[in-house]
Amino acid sequence: ESLDQGLQKTSESIFSKLSKAVVGKSKVDEEILDELEEILITSDVGVDTTIKIIRRIEERVAKDKYLNTEELDKILREEIAGLLEENNSQDFLDFDIPEDKKPYVIMVVGVNGVGKTTTIGKLANLFKNAGKSVILGAADTFRAAAVDQLILWGNRVGVPVVSHGMNTDPASVAFDAVKQAVEAKADVVIVDTAGRLHTKVNLMNELSKIKRVMQKFIPDAPHEIMLVLDGSTGQNAFIQAKEFTKATEVTSLAITKLDGTAKGGVVIGISDQFKIPVKYIGVGEKMTDLQIFNRKEFVDSLFK
Ligand code: GDP
């Protein structure tokens, strides 16, 4: 799906509510700002980030007492894009992996059901299409079917998957995946991990062990620790981000399922609250439904 299609539900919801709020008014007033606050909160931007955005708009209203309602849309976009920029939501995917980061090691974390496996498959496809060789490591050995699903994705995309089956030692899978990637001079290795948040100590231990074995081959691995969050779960995604950042360092975010929700504002809130760049967004179930996050395009699609 295109970004516009993917964000349609959120964008329609914001647009229709905002249109109602400004109807018959030519100037931005308190009432409109109150309504806007509610709109942002119901889009799951999160209370703190919403307040921040409203304050910034209030400042602009105060500066120009006659701020027209037609301008509200433009100002909203500017402020939100500015916020995303400050929070380092870079528009990036550097497919030109530096020589000293080959293979580029990505460790993927996230709870079951958020779309972790699917995102890894889609990501492998993005890299492959950019001409990079990819190896996947099926180190989510805890959940039934996670290994099989990753193998399925590997076949679909056409990239090898290192796996030892279910209930095997995740660190040993990670070890073999990185080893193979080094030997094969692969460009990228993406390692799936289990996401058992309810046993946080276990999770922390498991992730540290995985990191340690990777570092036997590549001292600065993993180069990226990506947390996958389900954008349609709103506040749950915030909670998961909080828990995972306590258990491990997280260097990038992939936010999935934005196509199925009117709560796409979660991308803005999470990026703002956690100061972690959103790198990818999921807008559908197909292989090509993972997009590199671009803050300007995102905001433009949101306030169509
Ligand atoms: P995991 O348990 O975290 O590995 O989750 P899966 O990758 O198995 O995904 C769970 C479900 O979410 C599957 O049915 C996927 O097709 C679906 N899914 C994943 N990403 C997206 C997305 O961006 N949009 C939609 N609509 N569905 C998605």
Side-chain angles (χ1 to χ4, degrees):
E1 297 201 34
S2 72
L3 187 60
D4 285 351
Q5 283 169 335
L7 294 175
Q8 199 175 5
K9 284 194 183 156
T10 305
S11 148
E12 275 173 6
S13 161
I14 292 179
F15 180 78
S16 67
K17 287 181 192 153
L18 202 55
S19 310
K20 256 185 232 148
V22 299
V23 80
K25 291 187 178 180
S26 57
K27 309 290 173 215
V28 176
D29 59 13
E30 254 332 289
E31 213 180 339
I32 291 178
L33 289 176
D34 280 350
E35 190 62 33
L36 178 61
E37 185 171 325
E38 204 175 310
I39 292 169
L40 293 175
I41 289 174
T42 49
S43 309
D44 264 330
V45 170
V47 175
D48 293 347
T49 304
T50 295
I51 291 171
K52 205 188 263 184
I53 293 168
I54 296 292
R55 287 233 173 91
R56 289 180 184 198
I57 292 174
E58 273 170 351
E59 275 167 27
R60 291 182 68 161
V61 171
K63 227 186 277 166
D64 176 6
K65 288 209 167 45
Y66 300 101
L67 190 66
N68 290 322
T69 45
E70 295 113 65
E71 284 177 293
L72 184 59
D73 191 66
K74 181 174 149 272
I75 284 166
L76 201 52
R77 279 182 213 213
E78 283 171 10
E79 293 302 338
I80 292 176
L83 200 69
L84 288 170
E85 187 171 346
E86 279 163 40
N87 293 311
N88 193 26
S89 288
Q90 311 154 40
D91 314 321
F92 61 86
L93 177 70
D94 195 358
F95 283 116
D96 294 322
I97 300 153
E99 273 306 321
D100 62 342
K101 284 190 180 161
K102 265 183 202 177
Y104 185 70
V105 183
I106 306 174
M107 181 171 106
V108 184
V109 301
V111 303
N112 294 335
V114 295
K116 193 158 52 81
T117 316
T118 307
T119 301
I120 292 171
K122 291 169 172 175
L123 189 57
N125 184 57
L126 272 182
F127 275 111
K128 199 183 171 215
N129 286 343
K132 304 294 165 194
S133 53
V134 185
I135 290 181
L136 303 180
D140 181 356
T141 60
F142 185 72
R143 180 168 69 91
V147 172
D148 292 343
Q149 258 174 40
L150 198 69
I151 292 172
L152 218 67
W153 270 105
N155 290 339
R156 207 175 291 165
V157 178
V159 297
V161 181
V162 173
S163 99
H164 295 171
M166 239 187 88
N167 293 321
T168 54
D169 178 14
S172 137
V173 178
F175 181 92
D176 279 352
V178 175
K179 182 166 178 274
Q180 274 196 34
V182 169
E183 283 167 5
K185 296 194 166 53
D187 296 308
V188 186
V189 50
I190 309 174
V191 177
D192 191 11
T193 68
R196 283 167 289 162
L197 259 189
H198 52 287
T199 53
K200 204 154 76 212
V201 176
N202 284 355
L203 178 70
M204 284 170 79
N205 290 343
E206 184 167 310
L207 296 178
S208 336
K209 198 172 157 200
I210 290 176
K211 284 184 216 170
R212 272 202 311 277
V213 299
M214 288 174 166
Q215 287 161 0
K216 288 195 177 117
F217 298 99
I218 303 164
D220 61 343
H223 301 105
E224 185 167 337
I225 301 172
M226 179 185 293
L227 172 63
V228 182
L229 296 170
D230 178 343
S232 69
T233 62
Q235 293 311 301
N236 260 336
F238 275 86
I239 294 167
Q240 286 167 21
K242 209 179 202 167
E243 294 299 313
F244 269 99
T245 48
K246 275 188 217 154
T248 177
E249 187 194 357
V250 174
T251 64
S252 67
L253 298 173
I255 303 185
T256 66
K257 306 192 199 180
L258 291 174
D259 51 307
T261 179
K263 294 176 173 292
V266 72
V267 172
I268 301 162
I270 290 207
S271 151
D272 181 45
Q273 295 302 304
F274 294 94
K275 314 284 181 216
I276 301 168
V278 177
K279 208 161 166 182
Y280 305 97
I281 52 176
V283 291
E285 294 190 273
K286 292 194 305 290
M287 191 172 359
T288 49
D289 288 335
L290 186 74
Q291 303 200 351
I292 299 162
F293 182 70
N294 175 302
R295 60 178 170 260
K296 188 174 176 304
E297 286 171 7
F298 179 81
V299 173
D300 282 346
S301 289
L302 217 49
F303 298 101
K304 269 251 156 308

PDB file of all heavy atoms in Angstrom, residues 128-153:
ATOM      1  N   LYS A 128      17.457  -6.766  -0.030  1.00  0.00           N
ATOM      2  CA  LYS A 128      17.745  -7.567  -1.218  1.00  0.00           C
ATOM      3  C   LYS A 128      17.513  -6.737  -2.478  1.00  0.00           C
ATOM      4  O   LYS A 128      18.312  -6.772  -3.416  1.00  0.00           O
ATOM      5  CB  LYS A 128      16.869  -8.820  -1.224  1.00  0.00           C
ATOM      6  CG  LYS A 128      17.438  -9.858  -2.148  1.00  0.00           C
ATOM      7  CD  LYS A 128      16.583 -11.083  -2.246  1.00  0.00           C
ATOM      8  CE  LYS A 128      17.123 -11.949  -3.368  1.00  0.00           C
ATOM      9  NZ  LYS A 128      16.055 -12.635  -4.074  1.00  0.00           N
ATOM     10  N   ASN A 129      16.417  -5.998  -2.471  1.00  0.00           N
ATOM     11  CA  ASN A 129      16.125  -5.141  -3.622  1.00  0.00           C
ATOM     12  C   ASN A 129      17.163  -4.043  -3.813  1.00  0.00           C
ATOM     13  O   ASN A 129      17.311  -3.515  -4.903  1.00  0.00           O
ATOM     14  CB  ASN A 129      14.732  -4.513  -3.502  1.00  0.00           C
ATOM     15  CG  ASN A 129      13.643  -5.537  -3.765  1.00  0.00           C
ATOM     16  OD1 ASN A 129      13.905  -6.594  -4.334  1.00  0.00           O
ATOM     17  ND2 ASN A 129      12.432  -5.230  -3.336  1.00  0.00           N
ATOM     18  N   ALA A 130      17.846  -3.717  -2.718  1.00  0.00           N
ATOM     19  CA  ALA A 130      18.912  -2.721  -2.823  1.00  0.00           C
ATOM     20  C   ALA A 130      20.236  -3.391  -3.219  1.00  0.00           C
ATOM     21  O   ALA A 130      21.289  -2.760  -3.193  1.00  0.00           O
ATOM     22  CB  ALA A 130      19.060  -1.979  -1.501  1.00  0.00           C
ATOM     23  N   GLY A 131      20.157  -4.677  -3.555  1.00  0.00           N
ATOM     24  CA  GLY A 131      21.341  -5.380  -4.041  1.00  0.00           C
ATOM     25  C   GLY A 131      22.224  -5.945  -2.938  1.00  0.00           C
ATOM     26  O   GLY A 131      23.373  -6.308  -3.173  1.00  0.00           O
ATOM     27  N   LYS A 132      21.684  -6.032  -1.730  1.00  0.00           N
ATOM     28  CA  LYS A 132      22.488  -6.534  -0.617  1.00  0.00           C
ATOM     29  C   LYS A 132      22.181  -8.009  -0.348  1.00  0.00           C
ATOM     30  O   LYS A 132      21.026  -8.439  -0.467  1.00  0.00           O
ATOM     31  CB  LYS A 132      22.189  -5.745   0.661  1.00  0.00           C
ATOM     32  CG  LYS A 132      22.391  -4.253   0.531  1.00  0.00           C
ATOM     33  CD  LYS A 132      23.845  -3.914   0.304  1.00  0.00           C
ATOM     34  CE  LYS A 132      24.004  -2.482  -0.191  1.00  0.00           C
ATOM     35  NZ  LYS A 132      25.339  -2.222  -0.726  1.00  0.00           N
ATOM     36  N   SER A 133      23.218  -8.747   0.036  1.00  0.00           N
ATOM     37  CA  SER A 133      22.983 -10.140   0.411  1.00  0.00           C
ATOM     38  C   SER A 133      22.615 -10.194   1.894  1.00  0.00           C
ATOM     39  O   SER A 133      23.221  -9.516   2.724  1.00  0.00           O
ATOM     40  CB  SER A 133      24.223 -10.985   0.134  1.00  0.00           C
ATOM     41  OG  SER A 133      25.342 -10.401   0.748  1.00  0.00           O
ATOM     42  N   VAL A 134      21.619 -10.996   2.197  1.00  0.00           N
ATOM     43  CA  VAL A 134      21.047 -11.019   3.541  1.00  0.00           C
ATOM     44  C   VAL A 134      20.996 -12.450   4.082  1.00  0.00           C
ATOM     45  O   VAL A 134      20.721 -13.386   3.341  1.00  0.00           O
ATOM     46  CB  VAL A 134      19.590 -10.468   3.512  1.00  0.00           C
ATOM     47  CG1 VAL A 134      19.022 -10.376   4.922  1.00  0.00           C
ATOM     48  CG2 VAL A 134      19.514  -9.107   2.827  1.00  0.00           C
ATOM     49  N   ILE A 135      21.279 -12.603   5.367  1.00  0.00           N
ATOM     50  CA  ILE A 135      21.071 -13.879   6.045  1.00  0.00           C
ATOM     51  C   ILE A 135      20.190 -13.620   7.266  1.00  0.00           C
ATOM     52  O   ILE A 135      20.383 -12.632   7.982  1.00  0.00           O
ATOM     53  CB  ILE A 135      22.419 -14.520   6.465  1.00  0.00           C
ATOM     54  CG1 ILE A 135      23.185 -14.987   5.205  1.00  0.00           C
ATOM     55  CG2 ILE A 135      22.209 -15.682   7.434  1.00  0.00           C
ATOM     56  CD1 ILE A 135      24.511 -15.666   5.488  1.00  0.00           C
ATOM     57  N   LEU A 136      19.202 -14.489   7.473  1.00  0.00           N
ATOM     58  CA  LEU A 136      18.330 -14.337   8.634  1.00  0.00           C
ATOM     59  C   LEU A 136      18.673 -15.375   9.687  1.00  0.00           C
ATOM     60  O   LEU A 136      19.054 -16.497   9.360  1.00  0.00           O
ATOM     61  CB  LEU A 136      16.861 -14.506   8.219  1.00  0.00           C
ATOM     62  CG  LEU A 136      16.327 -13.575   7.120  1.00  0.00           C
ATOM     63  CD1 LEU A 136      14.856 -13.872   6.837  1.00  0.00           C
ATOM     64  CD2 LEU A 136      16.491 -12.110   7.522  1.00  0.00           C
ATOM     65  N   GLY A 137      18.543 -15.003  10.940  1.00  0.00           N
ATOM     66  CA  GLY A 137      18.778 -15.944  12.040  1.00  0.00           C
ATOM     67  C   GLY A 137      17.495 -16.128  12.832  1.00  0.00           C
ATOM     68  O   GLY A 137      16.946 -15.158  13.358  1.00  0.00           O
ATOM     69  N   ALA A 138      17.031 -17.383  12.904  1.00  0.00           N
ATOM     70  CA  ALA A 138      15.765 -17.661  13.590  1.00  0.00           C
ATOM     71  C   ALA A 138      16.017 -17.944  15.064  1.00  0.00           C
ATOM     72  O   ALA A 138      15.911 -19.080  15.534  1.00  0.00           O
ATOM     73  CB  ALA A 138      15.055 -18.836  12.921  1.00  0.00           C
ATOM     74  N   ALA A 139      16.346 -16.901  15.828  1.00  0.00           N
ATOM     75  CA  ALA A 139      16.667 -17.083  17.241  1.00  0.00           C
ATOM     76  C   ALA A 139      15.462 -16.846  18.162  1.00  0.00           C
ATOM     77  O   ALA A 139      15.613 -16.808  19.376  1.00  0.00           O
ATOM     78  CB  ALA A 139      17.840 -16.192  17.644  1.00  0.00           C
ATOM     79  N   ASP A 140      14.279 -16.668  17.575  1.00  0.00           N
ATOM     80  CA  ASP A 140      13.063 -16.691  18.398  1.00  0.00           C
ATOM     81  C   ASP A 140      12.625 -18.143  18.437  1.00  0.00           C
ATOM     82  O   ASP A 140      11.742 -18.579  17.719  1.00  0.00           O
ATOM     83  CB  ASP A 140      11.966 -15.808  17.790  1.00  0.00           C
ATOM     84  CG  ASP A 140      10.693 -15.804  18.644  1.00  0.00           C
ATOM     85  OD1 ASP A 140      10.651 -16.539  19.652  1.00  0.00           O
ATOM     86  OD2 ASP A 140       9.751 -15.074  18.310  1.00  0.00           O
ATOM     87  N   THR A 141      13.310 -18.895  19.297  1.00  0.00           N
ATOM     88  CA  THR A 141      13.102 -20.347  19.292  1.00  0.00           C
ATOM     89  C   THR A 141      12.043 -20.749  20.312  1.00  0.00           C
ATOM     90  O   THR A 141      11.768 -21.918  20.513  1.00  0.00           O
ATOM     91  CB  THR A 141      14.422 -21.077  19.646  1.00  0.00           C
ATOM     92  OG1 THR A 141      14.817 -20.656  20.947  1.00  0.00           O
ATOM     93  CG2 THR A 141      15.507 -20.756  18.653  1.00  0.00           C
ATOM     94  N   PHE A 142      11.489 -19.772  20.982  1.00  0.00           N
ATOM     95  CA  PHE A 142      10.555 -20.047  22.075  1.00  0.00           C
ATOM     96  C   PHE A 142       9.122 -20.192  21.584  1.00  0.00           C
ATOM     97  O   PHE A 142       8.393 -21.087  21.992  1.00  0.00           O
ATOM     98  CB  PHE A 142      10.645 -18.915  23.099  1.00  0.00           C
ATOM     99  CG  PHE A 142       9.828 -19.152  24.322  1.00  0.00           C
ATOM    100  CD1 PHE A 142      10.221 -20.101  25.255  1.00  0.00           C
ATOM    101  CD2 PHE A 142       8.663 -18.434  24.550  1.00  0.00           C
ATOM    102  CE1 PHE A 142       9.465 -20.321  26.399  1.00  0.00           C
ATOM    103  CE2 PHE A 142       7.900 -18.651  25.686  1.00  0.00           C
ATOM    104  CZ  PHE A 142       8.301 -19.597  26.613  1.00  0.00           C
ATOM    105  N   ARG A 143       8.730 -19.318  20.693  1.00  0.00           N
ATOM    106  CA  ARG A 143       7.340 -19.321  20.243  1.00  0.00           C
ATOM    107  C   ARG A 143       7.136 -20.372  19.154  1.00  0.00           C
ATOM    108  O   ARG A 143       7.900 -20.432  18.180  1.00  0.00           O
ATOM    109  CB  ARG A 143       6.974 -17.941  19.688  1.00  0.00           C
ATOM    110  CG  ARG A 143       5.545 -17.865  19.193  1.00  0.00           C
ATOM    111  CD  ARG A 143       5.142 -16.451  18.924  1.00  0.00           C
ATOM    112  NE  ARG A 143       5.822 -15.860  17.775  1.00  0.00           N
ATOM    113  CZ  ARG A 143       5.334 -15.900  16.543  1.00  0.00           C
ATOM    114  NH1 ARG A 143       4.188 -16.503  16.284  1.00  0.00           N
ATOM    115  NH2 ARG A 143       5.995 -15.342  15.555  1.00  0.00           N
ATOM    116  N   ALA A 144       6.107 -21.168  19.333  1.00  0.00           N
ATOM    117  CA  ALA A 144       5.755 -22.151  18.314  1.00  0.00           C
ATOM    118  C   ALA A 144       5.537 -21.396  17.015  1.00  0.00           C
ATOM    119  O   ALA A 144       4.943 -20.331  16.990  1.00  0.00           O
ATOM    120  CB  ALA A 144       4.491 -22.880  18.725  1.00  0.00           C
ATOM    121  N   ALA A 145       6.049 -21.929  15.949  1.00  0.00           N
ATOM    122  CA  ALA A 145       5.812 -21.395  14.606  1.00  0.00           C
ATOM    123  C   ALA A 145       6.678 -20.195  14.214  1.00  0.00           C
ATOM    124  O   ALA A 145       6.761 -19.850  13.041  1.00  0.00           O
ATOM    125  CB  ALA A 145       4.348 -21.043  14.386  1.00  0.00           C
ATOM    126  N   ALA A 146       7.363 -19.568  15.196  1.00  0.00           N
ATOM    127  CA  ALA A 146       8.179 -18.400  14.833  1.00  0.00           C
ATOM    128  C   ALA A 146       9.291 -18.797  13.863  1.00  0.00           C
ATOM    129  O   ALA A 146       9.565 -18.100  12.886  1.00  0.00           O
ATOM    130  CB  ALA A 146       8.769 -17.748  16.074  1.00  0.00           C
ATOM    131  N   VAL A 147       9.908 -19.943  14.162  1.00  0.00           N
ATOM    132  CA  VAL A 147      11.002 -20.413  13.316  1.00  0.00           C
ATOM    133  C   VAL A 147      10.483 -20.753  11.916  1.00  0.00           C
ATOM    134  O   VAL A 147      11.040 -20.312  10.903  1.00  0.00           O
ATOM    135  CB  VAL A 147      11.692 -21.649  13.958  1.00  0.00           C
ATOM    136  CG1 VAL A 147      12.691 -22.273  13.006  1.00  0.00           C
ATOM    137  CG2 VAL A 147      12.366 -21.252  15.271  1.00  0.00           C
ATOM    138  N   ASP A 148       9.365 -21.505  11.886  1.00  0.00           N
ATOM    139  CA  ASP A 148       8.781 -21.890  10.592  1.00  0.00           C
ATOM    140  C   ASP A 148       8.397 -20.673   9.773  1.00  0.00           C
ATOM    141  O   ASP A 148       8.587 -20.631   8.560  1.00  0.00           O
ATOM    142  CB  ASP A 148       7.526 -22.752  10.802  1.00  0.00           C
ATOM    143  CG  ASP A 148       7.878 -24.109  11.400  1.00  0.00           C
ATOM    144  OD1 ASP A 148       9.076 -24.475  11.325  1.00  0.00           O
ATOM    145  OD2 ASP A 148       6.978 -24.780  11.932  1.00  0.00           O
ATOM    146  N   GLN A 149       7.819 -19.692  10.475  1.00  0.00           N
ATOM    147  CA  GLN A 149       7.386 -18.484   9.767  1.00  0.00           C
ATOM    148  C   GLN A 149       8.560 -17.728   9.162  1.00  0.00           C
ATOM    149  O   GLN A 149       8.465 -17.218   8.050  1.00  0.00           O
ATOM    150  CB  GLN A 149       6.685 -17.542  10.749  1.00  0.00           C
ATOM    151  CG  GLN A 149       5.179 -17.585  10.617  1.00  0.00           C
ATOM    152  CD  GLN A 149       4.532 -16.750  11.698  1.00  0.00           C
ATOM    153  OE1 GLN A 149       5.014 -15.669  12.021  1.00  0.00           O
ATOM    154  NE2 GLN A 149       3.456 -17.247  12.257  1.00  0.00           N
ATOM    155  N   LEU A 150       9.644 -17.698   9.905  1.00  0.00           N
ATOM    156  CA  LEU A 150      10.809 -16.982   9.385  1.00  0.00           C
ATOM    157  C   LEU A 150      11.384 -17.719   8.174  1.00  0.00           C
ATOM    158  O   LEU A 150      11.790 -17.089   7.191  1.00  0.00           O
ATOM    159  CB  LEU A 150      11.870 -16.806  10.474  1.00  0.00           C
ATOM    160  CG  LEU A 150      12.898 -15.725  10.136  1.00  0.00           C
ATOM    161  CD1 LEU A 150      12.272 -14.336  10.179  1.00  0.00           C
ATOM    162  CD2 LEU A 150      14.089 -15.759  11.072  1.00  0.00           C
ATOM    163  N   ILE A 151      11.375 -19.055   8.259  1.00  0.00           N
ATOM    164  CA  ILE A 151      11.857 -19.845   7.124  1.00  0.00           C
ATOM    165  C   ILE A 151      10.984 -19.584   5.891  1.00  0.00           C
ATOM    166  O   ILE A 151      11.473 -19.419   4.776  1.00  0.00           O
ATOM    167  CB  ILE A 151      11.893 -21.351   7.493  1.00  0.00           C
ATOM    168  CG1 ILE A 151      12.981 -21.580   8.557  1.00  0.00           C
ATOM    169  CG2 ILE A 151      12.146 -22.227   6.268  1.00  0.00           C
ATOM    170  CD1 ILE A 151      13.001 -22.977   9.151  1.00  0.00           C
ATOM    171  N   LEU A 152       9.690 -19.513   6.133  1.00  0.00           N
ATOM    172  CA  LEU A 152       8.743 -19.221   5.058  1.00  0.00           C
ATOM    173  C   LEU A 152       9.062 -17.875   4.408  1.00  0.00           C
ATOM    174  O   LEU A 152       9.088 -17.738   3.182  1.00  0.00           O
ATOM    175  CB  LEU A 152       7.337 -19.184   5.653  1.00  0.00           C
ATOM    176  CG  LEU A 152       6.204 -19.768   4.837  1.00  0.00           C
ATOM    177  CD1 LEU A 152       6.368 -21.274   4.690  1.00  0.00           C
ATOM    178  CD2 LEU A 152       4.859 -19.466   5.523  1.00  0.00           C
ATOM    179  N   TRP A 153       9.314 -16.887   5.250  1.00  0.00           N
ATOM    180  CA  TRP A 153       9.657 -15.555   4.736  1.00  0.00           C
ATOM    181  C   TRP A 153      10.965 -15.601   3.959  1.00  0.00           C
ATOM    182  O   TRP A 153      11.103 -14.965   2.919  1.00  0.00           O
ATOM    183  CB  TRP A 153       9.744 -14.536   5.871  1.00  0.00           C
ATOM    184  CG  TRP A 153       8.430 -13.865   6.128  1.00  0.00           C
ATOM    185  CD1 TRP A 153       7.587 -14.100   7.175  1.00  0.00           C
ATOM    186  CD2 TRP A 153       7.796 -12.855   5.323  1.00  0.00           C
ATOM    187  NE1 TRP A 153       6.471 -13.304   7.067  1.00  0.00           N
ATOM    188  CE2 TRP A 153       6.569 -12.527   5.943  1.00  0.00           C
ATOM    189  CE3 TRP A 153       8.148 -12.201   4.141  1.00  0.00           C
ATOM    190  CZ2 TRP A 153       5.700 -11.573   5.416  1.00  0.00           C
ATOM    191  CZ3 TRP A 153       7.281 -11.253   3.623  1.00  0.00           C
ATOM    192  CH2 TRP A 153       6.072 -10.951   4.252  1.00  0.00           C
TER     193      TRP A 153
END
